[in-house]
Amino acid sequence: MIGMSDQAVQALYMEIEQWLRAKVMAGREGDPLPSEAELATQFGVSRMTSRQAMQNLAAEGLVRRKRGSGTYIAPRPMHRHAGPLMNFTSDMHRRGLTASSQLMSAELREATAPELDALRQEPKSRVVAIHRLRLADGTPMAIETTSLTPDCASVLAEDLETGSLHDALRSLGRQPTTALSWISARTASSAEANLLNLPPKSPVLVERRIISDQNEKPLEFTTTIYHPERYVIDAVFTLAPAPGADEPK
């Protein structure tokens, strides 16, 4: 590598990076990848050059590095389009995965101030509160806290671990129809990181959603905390025309 120009070095690590990308795309989650030393030998470069190629993939979340063990193909995130309203069970089913839940609590209790506001309930009203860990083929995907209007209390008798909450709501004549959602990011709490099998203080994606029924009445207020490497929410935006663009000239 002595005497090589910066452009030549860059071309070499880009070649390694492209080779690694192809390896990742053809492989499966958890498959091991060559070490930096093995890449350096294979491509005839320094370890610094092979390290740069691997770091680029790690920064994109395509590979996961484990100290003292090696580098492995990272889980591929699931993409959900922001437009269609689809529950977790249906979403996993269309991907060929089995959806399930670990039920942590389900009760009828007094509503908090945010729940009263979101569900348009009177002060001191109660809500149906359901707290679940959502899984796909047994892998933790998200932590979901759902609050429902009190007339939905009978869903507490339903199967909330393997069944669909929205199917239970439909059986009550409440059809989840439209949703208002807002998304943010924050650091996971210790309990959240433990449930999602994340390192301490990892970032998480948080979606808060108010769902209304077929009569435009608030039905559900849900906060979902997603594993950052397993879920991606896609949104399509249309640029507004520039001011005066449609005005006759």
Side-chain angles (χ1 to χ4, degrees):
M1 301 294 292
I2 296 176
M4 292 187 68
S5 67
D6 290 343
Q7 291 86 349
V9 172
Q10 183 178 17
L12 282 170
Y13 88 68
M14 287 182 66
E15 179 185 350
I16 300 171
E17 184 178 326
Q18 290 172 356
W19 183 86
L20 285 169
R21 285 182 187 278
K23 193 89 170 169
V24 168
M25 292 301 105
R28 296 180 299 178
E29 175 186 338
D31 284 352
L33 293 170
S35 67
E36 293 172 3
E38 290 169 335
L39 288 170
T41 300
Q42 179 178 338
F43 288 90
V45 299
S46 69
R47 287 191 62 173
M48 182 179 296
T49 301
S50 64
R51 182 180 301 118
Q52 178 66 56
M54 192 68 82
Q55 284 176 342
N56 288 350
L57 269 66
E60 294 179 30
L62 296 176
V63 302
R64 180 175 293 169
R65 313 183 84 170
K66 297 181 180 179
R67 182 173 297 178
S69 176
T71 303
Y72 302 85
I73 297 176
R76 290 188 178 91
M78 296 182 182
H79 288 253
R80 194 197 85 197
H81 295 295
L85 178 58
M86 183 177 295
N87 62 37
F88 182 83
T89 301
S90 299
D91 189 17
M92 295 304 105
H93 180 73
R94 74 183 179 91
R95 299 173 192 271
L97 303 173
T98 300
S100 63
S101 300
Q102 178 184 325
L103 183 62
M104 291 179 281
S105 65
E107 60 182 341
L108 186 64
R109 59 159 172 78
E110 186 170 330
T112 63
E115 290 168 337
L116 290 174
D117 184 54
L119 297 173
R120 299 182 200 165
Q121 297 295 298
E122 296 295 326
K124 297 186 179 180
S125 293
R126 297 200 292 175
V127 293
V128 179
I130 302 169
H131 189 46
R132 298 181 291 177
L133 175 65
R134 310 308 302 270
L135 306 104
D137 282 353
T139 299
M141 299 292 293
I143 302 166
E144 189 175 85
T145 302
T146 299
S147 304
L148 304 169
T149 52
D151 57 307
C152 299
S154 62
V155 301
L156 293 173
E158 300 290 336
D159 179 2
L160 298 175
E161 293 198 314
T162 60
S164 166
L165 176 60
H166 281 189
D167 284 347
L169 291 171
R170 291 186 188 98
S171 70
L172 297 177
R174 303 291 301 276
Q175 171 70 42
T177 304
T178 59
L180 173 64
S181 175
W182 57 105
I183 301 164
S184 60
R186 62 168 172 79
T187 301
S189 68
S190 297
E192 291 164 350
N194 184 55
L195 285 170
L196 294 173
N197 295 335
L198 288 169
K201 299 182 179 179
S202 291
V204 288
L205 188 66
V206 181
E207 181 182 18
R208 293 177 177 84
R209 184 170 58 245
I210 300 173
I211 295 180
S212 299
D213 66 9
Q214 71 275 21
N215 298 315
E216 300 183 356
K217 292 183 178 180
L219 169 63
E220 173 187 324
F221 176 47
T222 292
T223 298
T224 306
I225 301 165
Y226 293 103
H227 190 295
E229 296 177 357
R230 295 179 182 152
Y231 226 82
V232 173
I233 298 176
D234 299 326
V236 177
F237 299 95
T238 302
L239 290 177
D246 296 329
E247 296 178 3
K249 297 182 179 179

